[in-house]
Every structure is written in C-alpha cells, then in structure tokens.
C-alpha cells in the first residue's frame, strides 16, 4: 500500500514496477490524504489491482497507513511511498528474507537514490548522544562518529538486524503491526517509523535489513512543496520521540534542553539549505542486490 497526497507522475512508476517485483498477485491500496492532482483516481481507474481509499483529509502518514492496512488479509503487507520504484524481484526477495527471520516484524530493502547513492535506511535507534551529535554536526561533517554510529554507513551492506527501518518502504508482519496498535497517529510525518520500531522491539520483534532487495526512491516531494512546514514537522516529531524516551519530573530539564536545541536547529534550517538537507549519504549503491552476502548477526 502507499499513502498519496498529489503524488504526480511518480505513482504510475510505483504501480507498474510491482509487476516485475513479484510473481504473486497483488492488490494495491492507495490511502489518499486529499490529493488535488487527480493522479490517484486516474491510476486506480486504469489498473484493476489498484483500490483508492480516501482517508477524509490530510491525516498524516501513519494514520493513513493504519487506515490502508485496517482490512488487509494475509500475513504480510508492503508499505511504501508512492515515489518508490521496485527493481526486478524485490518484493519476492523481501518475502524470502522474512521467511528466514520468523521473528522479523519488518523487513526493509536497500534504498537507492536516482543518483546511485545508498540511502542509510537501516539505522540504530536514536539515543541522546548519537542524536545530538548527528543533528549538530551531520550537515557540516557527514562522516562524524555520531552520525556514522547512528546510520551505520561504514558497514558494507549485508543482511542484518537494525534498530529501525525507513518507513519509505518495508514489508510488515500484520499480526505484529496490529499487536502494538500500528503507527502512532500523533506523528503527522517523520519518526513514526522510529516509534513503531521501538515499540515492536520492546514486544520482542526484530527488524531486518535485506539489501538483496533493491528499490529506487526519488524522495523529497513534500519537502520541496512545503520546505518550512516540513522542517517544522520533522523537528517537532524528533522532539516528540526523544522527549518520550525521558519521561517524568526528574527529566523535565532534559526535555526543556531538547526543546530548545531542536527549536534552534529548526530556525537555522529555515535559512540554511545545508542544515535543512542534513548529512550527505556516504556510500554508493553499487554493491547491493541479489549477490549481497547474507550474514546474520
């Protein structure tokens, strides 16, 4: 399934690439958050396997995914952004990896940018030290040790567990997803995937990175359309997640410091494109695909 919000021409590539990504029959649910470009309606009319589900407005990413998966049958569902294109066999490979990891709640592919970079989609859960170092230094020094520890870009791509997987594309075990209540709709956008992964991990599930499956993600549609709003949402979501890790009265000063630090970074991102863009990716995607070494950790 995909969440749509005036997705433009990218949606056609999303739907058509699925034909090469799996040998299984598919049903594609488009949870539409109030598109005005007419594209979801057009794609649903031309592709019989596509069903349009109107969420009633721009309810946010996580809430739309929850609505889209509410009636899903079977064990697994694929959640992806509408500007993702699947390489040949990618979905079947995700299912094969899931079969090897029965405790996996989510399985995520290697995500390649159109420029051939490898997006760091399988990261550790953010902690205070790594999060602060990454936020403060990543935009100016992408190879700093805190960003490297958090994003794990110094490791060669291999099948392994991760703290969380990017919500832009992953296979999810529906029983596990429903057991923890799905995405928290309190996150409008950003960090809803981190929060979901943290709750699933506490419930005993795993998250598995599968670079033997590859997708291409264009990305940046919402940011380009409303850059200041998306920066505000990103920093607000980061604060919601990090502050939630430090509850109680004794942690009130720490939460205040987080609020001040993230608020300051947000204001700087409004005027600095480099800060807004964050840390550049550090690896090429040349060594991902079917030949990626499968090693458990």
């Amino acid at each position: 399934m995909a969440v749509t919000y005036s997705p433009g021409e990218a949606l056609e590539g999303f739907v058509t690439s699925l034909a090469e990504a799996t040998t299984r029959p598919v049903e594609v649910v488009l949870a539409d958050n109030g598109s005005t470009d007419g594209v979801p309606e057009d794609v649903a009319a031309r592709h019989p396997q596509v069903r349009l589900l109107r969420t009633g407005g721009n309810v946010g990413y996580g809430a739309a995914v929850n609505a889209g998966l509410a009636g899903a049958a079977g064990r697994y569902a694929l959640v992806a952004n509408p500007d993702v294109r699947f390489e040949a066999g990618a979905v079947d490979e995700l299912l094969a990896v899931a079969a090897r990891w029965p405790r996996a709640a989510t399985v995520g592919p290697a995500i390649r940018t159109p420029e051939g970079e490898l997006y760091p989609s399988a990261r550790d859960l953010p902690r205070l030290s790594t999060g602060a170092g990454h936020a403060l230094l990543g935009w100016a020094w992408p190879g700093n040790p805190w960003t490297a520890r958090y994003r794990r870009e110094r490791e060669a791509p291999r099948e392994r567990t991760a703290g969380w997987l990017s919500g832009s594309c992953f296979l999810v075990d529906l029983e596990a997803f429903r057991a923890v209540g799905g995405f928290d709709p309190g996150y409008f956008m950003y960090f809803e995937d981190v929060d979901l992964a943290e709750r699933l991990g506490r419930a005993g599930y795993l998250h598995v990175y599968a670079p033997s499956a590859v997708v291409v993600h264009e990305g940046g549609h919402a940011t380009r359309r409303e850059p200041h709003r998306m920066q505000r949402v990103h920093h607000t979501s980061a604060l919601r997640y990090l502050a939630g890790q430090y509850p109680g009265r004794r942690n009130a000063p720490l939460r205040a410091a987080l609020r001040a630090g993230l608020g300051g970074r947000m204001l700087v991102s409004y005027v600095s494109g480099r800060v807004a863009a964050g840390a550049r990716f550090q690896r090429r995607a040349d060594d991902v695909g079917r030949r990626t070494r499968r090693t458990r950790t």
Side-chain angles (χ1 to χ4, degrees):
M1 68 144 297
V3 177
T4 52
Y5 181 65
S6 297
E9 61 185 20
L11 183 59
E12 180 70 20
F14 170 86
V15 172
T16 57
S17 68
L18 275 170
E20 298 295 324
T22 180
T23 58
R24 296 167 171 80
V26 296
E27 179 190 21
V28 181
V29 176
L30 303 179
D32 188 67
N33 272 350
S35 294
T36 58
D37 62 358
V39 170
E41 292 86 351
D42 178 63
V43 169
R46 289 186 294 101
H47 296 279
Q49 77 275 28
V50 177
R51 177 168 63 90
L52 184 62
L53 173 69
R54 302 185 192 278
T55 64
N58 194 2
V59 298
Y61 187 78
V65 172
N66 290 346
L69 295 183
R75 179 171 181 182
Y76 295 106
L78 187 71
V79 176
N81 285 6
D83 55 353
V84 161
R85 286 185 291 108
F86 301 89
E87 295 199 349
V91 175
D92 284 342
E93 183 63 17
L94 290 174
L95 289 165
V97 173
R100 293 197 290 272
W101 296 80
R103 289 175 55 209
T106 60
V107 180
I111 299 177
R112 181 164 59 84
T113 71
E115 295 75 31
E117 296 171 309
L118 183 64
Y119 177 73
S121 60
R123 309 185 186 191
D124 285 350
L125 286 171
R127 300 303 179 199
L128 194 58
S129 60
T130 53
H134 173 61
L136 291 172
L137 299 173
W139 65 274
W141 180 18
N144 74 79
W146 296 277
T147 296
R149 187 180 307 126
Y150 170 50
R151 301 206 309 195
R152 299 181 65 170
E153 288 183 281
R154 293 178 182 172
E155 302 179 24
R158 59 189 173 86
E159 190 172 306
R160 61 171 174 84
T161 58
W164 67 281
L165 301 169
S166 170
S168 61
C169 184
F170 62 58
L171 187 77
V172 62
D173 183 307
L174 289 170
E175 181 179 348
F177 183 80
R178 290 165 180 156
V180 299
F183 281 117
D184 180 352
Y187 292 90
F188 178 79
M189 194 172 176
Y190 305 114
F191 277 82
E192 70 284 316
D193 42 12
V194 184
D195 171 76
L196 175 69
E198 197 268 340
R199 288 184 285 116
L200 284 165
R202 279 194 277 114
Y205 294 101
L206 300 176
H207 311 288
V208 177
Y209 181 45
S212 50
V214 183
V215 304
V216 180
H217 184 208
E218 182 178 338
H221 283 268
T223 302
R224 287 193 296 269
R225 192 158 34 193
E226 300 178 282
H228 285 182
R229 184 188 181 212
M230 289 301 101
Q231 283 299 323
R232 184 172 66 253
V233 170
H234 184 275
H235 286 84
T236 300
S237 293
L239 176 62
R240 177 185 175 89
Y241 177 79
L242 290 171
Q245 302 303 302
Y246 301 95
R249 293 182 59 185
R250 69 172 184 168
N251 287 316
L254 177 57
R255 293 196 300 273
L258 284 168
R259 185 175 294 106
L262 286 167
R265 190 186 187 280
M266 178 184 69
L267 294 176
V268 173
S269 73
Y270 287 171
V271 297
S272 171
R274 286 187 65 193
V275 174
R280 296 190 310 274
F281 308 147
Q282 299 294 291
R283 295 192 72 94
R284 299 286 301 173
D286 304 324
D287 51 353
V288 295
R290 291 301 185 104
R291 295 183 181 180
T292 301
R293 187 162 60 99
R294 298 166 181 169
T295 304
R296 294 195 182 195
T297 55

